[in-house]
Structures are given as C-alpha cells and as structure tokens.
Amino acid sequence: MQVIADVSKRYGNSSEFKQHEQKLKTITDKISKTKHEIDIKAVSIDDSKKHSVKQVRTFQAELINAINKMSDEITTDIESKAQSTHAILSNLKTTSKTGELEVHSVTNVIENCKGNDVLLFIATHRTKEIATNVSNKIDEVENALESVPQYKFIENAETKTLLKTSSGIGHYNQALQSGAHTGKHGK
C-alpha cells in the first residue's frame, strides 16, 4: 500500500497521465472522423436513392402502363431499404455522439484536476475504463459502418424487351464499393 499523495507527486508530468490524455485525444479524433464518415455515407445513400428512383421512373416511362405495378413495387423497396439503412446510420451516429459526450465529460474532469496531482491521479484512474469502453464502442461503430449496405438500381433486361414478365423491372441491389474509402479498411 502506498499513500496517494506520495505516488501522485508530479503525476501531471508522468508518462502514464500523458498516455491517458493522448488516448482521450485519439478517441475524440476517431469520433470526429467516424461522424464525418457517417455523414458522407448518408449523403451517398441519398444520392444513390435519388439516382435509382430517377432510373426507375425513366425506365417506367419507356414501358408505359404495363410497368406501373412493378415500378411501384421497386420504388417501395428502394424507400424501405433506404429507410432501413438510415435507421442503421442513425443508431451509429447516436452511439458516436454518446461516446463524444462521455469523452468530453472525462476530458473536463481531467482538465479540472490539473494542478492537483492527487486529484489528477484519482481522476485518471477512474476514467481509464470509461475511455476504454468508449474506444471499444467507436471501434464497433467503425466496423458496423463498413458493413452498412449500399444499393443501386439495376434494370431487368427481360423486362426492357418483354413487357410481360414475372420478374419485375429490376432490383435495388447493394452497390460494389470499388476504390471508395469508407472506413479504416478502405472498402
């Protein structure tokens, strides 16, 4: 057993405290980056949705009345998938915001304790688990963000040439993300 006052002397200059402070900064940076990537992904999904709906409507115009029922079905599918994807992104953004608030709170506690090594030592040790938990949550958000599906409308060639088909006018499929950077793995 050691007296905290003895152990915490010049704690504000210790490598342990500096590592903890750097970890909090790294987490804050990750949160900011992740929130930005969420916003970019949301815009991309909206652009894809708008583009795909336009394709559906253009293709529908070529096929006139025979396609109306199938067009409504695919449009509903697009809206449903976009809504589901936005719900996922909203949850990820909420988790990121919660992490940001927790890190901000921890950072404030640390800042308020600077100048008093005893309090700084105690505060640092009390907030390490919080910082680790937030870091883990943000890692989960980053991983989940990479698996958020992105869709693209693909015209059905049979429907284009044959007005009477049972396979619909096309599909709203997940788009390939070739070369696009969306997260730490570059997918």
Side-chain angles (χ1 to χ4, degrees):
M1 300 224 5
Q2 296 175 325
V3 177
I4 290 178
D6 292 340
V7 175
S8 66
K9 286 182 182 170
R10 293 184 290 284
Y11 188 73
N13 293 325
S14 72
S15 63
E16 179 183 44
F17 171 71
K18 288 178 182 178
Q19 287 173 353
H20 183 63
E21 198 172 38
Q22 181 59 43
K23 183 176 186 176
L24 294 174
K25 183 188 178 320
T26 300
I27 294 168
T28 300
D29 292 345
K30 281 172 63 175
I31 290 169
S32 178
K33 178 182 172 249
T34 301
K35 285 173 46 184
H36 177 72
E37 288 180 12
I38 290 169
D39 290 339
I40 288 171
K41 183 78 93 163
V43 168
S44 177
I45 288 167
D46 285 341
D47 288 345
S48 175
K49 180 180 93 172
K50 289 175 188 175
H51 180 73
S52 295
V53 169
K54 183 178 177 181
Q55 281 183 296
V56 168
R57 296 299 181 208
T58 300
F59 198 42
Q60 176 189 5
E62 294 173 15
L63 301 175
I64 313 286
N65 293 330
I67 302 296
N68 284 337
K69 182 180 176 189
M70 291 181 277
S71 174
D72 291 341
E73 290 173 359
I74 193 71
T75 301
T76 299
D77 187 42
I78 290 168
E79 292 294 336
S80 174
K81 287 177 179 173
Q83 184 178 4
S84 295
T85 305
H86 275 292
I88 293 167
L89 292 175
S90 178
N91 287 337
L92 295 177
K93 195 166 194 169
T94 298
T95 301
S96 293
K97 182 65 178 171
T98 300
E100 180 180 40
L101 293 173
E102 289 177 14
V103 169
H104 181 69
S105 175
V106 167
T107 302
N108 284 341
V109 168
I110 296 294
E111 288 297 318
N112 290 334
C113 292
K114 286 184 176 176
N116 183 331
D117 286 340
V118 171
L119 292 177
L120 191 60
F121 176 83
I122 293 169
T124 298
H125 284 276
R126 285 185 176 171
T127 60
K128 281 183 180 181
E129 185 176 345
I130 295 170
T132 298
N133 289 340
V134 171
S135 180
N136 291 341
K137 284 180 192 175
I138 298 307
D139 288 343
E140 290 172 12
V141 168
E142 286 177 339
N143 290 333
L145 184 59
E146 290 185 29
S147 64
V148 172
Q150 185 128 4
Y151 298 94
K152 176 182 177 184
F153 177 74
I154 300 171
E155 296 173 350
N156 182 314
E158 285 179 353
T159 304
K160 197 169 187 175
T161 57
L162 303 171
L163 295 177
K164 294 181 181 181
T165 181
S166 62
S167 63
I169 64 169
H171 304 282
Y172 193 62
N173 289 339
Q174 187 170 347
L176 297 176
Q177 298 177 359
S178 61
H181 178 72
T182 58
K184 65 182 181 183
H185 298 294
K187 288 188 177 177

